[in-house]
Amino acid sequence: MAIEVKNVSFCYGVGSPFEVKALSEISFKINHGENLGILGPTGSGKSTLVQLLNALLVPTEGEVLIDGLNTKERKNGKRIRELVGMVFQYPENQFFEDTVYDEVAFGARNLGLPPDEVDRRVRESIRLLGLPEKILRKSPFEISGGEKRKVAIASALVRKPKYLIFDEPLAGLDYPGSKALLRLLGSLRGRCSLIIVTHTLDELLGFIDKVLFLEEGKVKAFGNVLDLLDIEDLKKYVPVVDLLSRLKGKGFVFKSDLMDLGRIEEEIVRNVLLD
């Protein structure tokens, strides 16, 4: 089971005077269970790409396969959106129900589940996110910013996706909010594959198995972090890559591909002790 992107290009306004090519000949594959970080400057095509993965858009050229299902085939749309959940950059802007309960339940109801199963999933999702059940009676517009972000994630989790996309999940959060969200992402590891769109990966390295680096709508690099240490442009967006590259140049050998800041410190100590 995997997400496969095969030679995909995408244009907005095809055939019009305003035609713009957002992505060009993109190819990569992630297996279920792997977490992917999508990185690149503004305008590199990150948001367009994740909408292709969720079948909100379909390729102008090429194919996107979600567990073998082609996003171009309309009959596959519902199943693909069950498999691939999405939490937008400012998810509170997507709220439209009167209560948190109905907001979270919406996705489960769209699956045609019986009321008792909808209720079970709603309560399970908010418990997973550390929200109290009393919040279910509140309006989603009257809770805190951090709670809104959690409710949006619960609304995606209620569908039990195999792949969960976050578009700039740390955007607009203060330091405590960012730390809380990072702990949450850690708790989701293993439950589903995380696909995280971001401008910088330093804080997210511990959750990422592979990095897809986009620039001007093209793949600049793809692989695990330690395979990309020689990509100079990547160092602009992941400063810690520059540190890892320098350490590698001094003969440091890293045992782990998951290089969060804690592991980097451990690896430095281990290499120093080996010397």
Side-chain angles (χ1 to χ4, degrees), residues 2-173:
I3 290 179
E4 298 175 84
V5 177
K6 298 183 176 183
N7 204 34
V8 163
S9 297
F10 182 82
C11 293
Y12 290 100
V14 175
S16 77
F18 306 102
E19 182 173 320
V20 176
K21 195 164 194 176
L23 294 172
S24 180
E25 299 179 350
I26 302 289
S27 294
F28 66 92
K29 176 182 177 180
I30 59 165
N31 295 311
H32 181 241
E34 291 182 322
N35 293 338
L36 175 70
I38 301 177
L39 187 69
T42 300
S44 60
K46 303 186 301 294
S47 293
T48 298
L49 176 58
V50 294
Q51 290 181 72
L52 289 166
L53 300 183
N54 190 242
L56 293 174
L57 299 174
V58 296
T60 308
E61 300 174 12
E63 294 181 328
V64 176
L65 304 177
I66 311 295
D67 287 357
L69 300 174
N70 195 320
T71 62
K72 284 186 174 180
E73 297 182 23
R74 293 187 63 183
K75 64 179 182 180
N76 294 332
K78 181 179 178 182
R79 177 56 181 157
I80 287 169
R81 281 185 280 275
E82 290 175 21
L83 291 169
V84 184
M86 188 161 180
V87 180
F88 292 90
Q89 182 172 352
Y90 295 104
E92 52 270 28
N93 294 339
Q94 312 297 317
F95 291 163
F96 59 92
E97 295 284 4
D98 293 330
T99 67
V100 169
Y101 185 98
D102 286 332
E103 192 67 49
V104 177
F106 179 80
R109 287 169 175 159
N110 267 5
L111 297 179
L113 299 173
D116 58 338
E117 176 63 11
V118 171
D119 186 71
R120 187 188 69 78
R121 289 197 183 195
V122 168
R123 297 179 192 280
E124 179 184 58
S125 296
I126 66 158
R127 279 198 301 272
L128 178 62
L129 296 170
L131 292 169
E133 289 208 358
K134 64 182 180 182
I135 202 172
L136 293 173
R137 299 187 296 273
K138 295 183 177 181
S139 165
F141 304 102
E142 296 174 353
I143 57 180
S144 72
E147 288 171 334
K148 287 178 180 178
R149 194 66 55 95
K150 289 183 177 181
V151 167
I153 297 170
S155 300
L157 288 177
V158 77
R159 301 173 69 96
K160 296 190 178 297
K162 290 180 66 176
Y163 309 93
L164 185 54
I165 298 170
F166 289 86
D167 190 359
E168 297 286 357
L170 301 180
L173 295 181

Side-chain angles (χ1 to χ4, degrees), residues 192-228:
C192 53
S193 289
L194 305 179
I195 300 169
I196 303 175
V197 175
T198 182
H199 278 88
T200 175
L201 277 177
D202 275 6
E203 294 177 291
L204 296 167
L205 283 178
F207 309 107
I208 299 302
D209 299 293
K210 291 183 178 177
V211 175
L212 178 70
F213 181 33
L214 296 179
E215 193 169 73
E216 296 181 348
K218 298 180 179 181
V219 175
K220 186 81 172 182
F222 175 66
N224 68 51
V225 174
L226 294 182
D227 288 337
L228 305 180

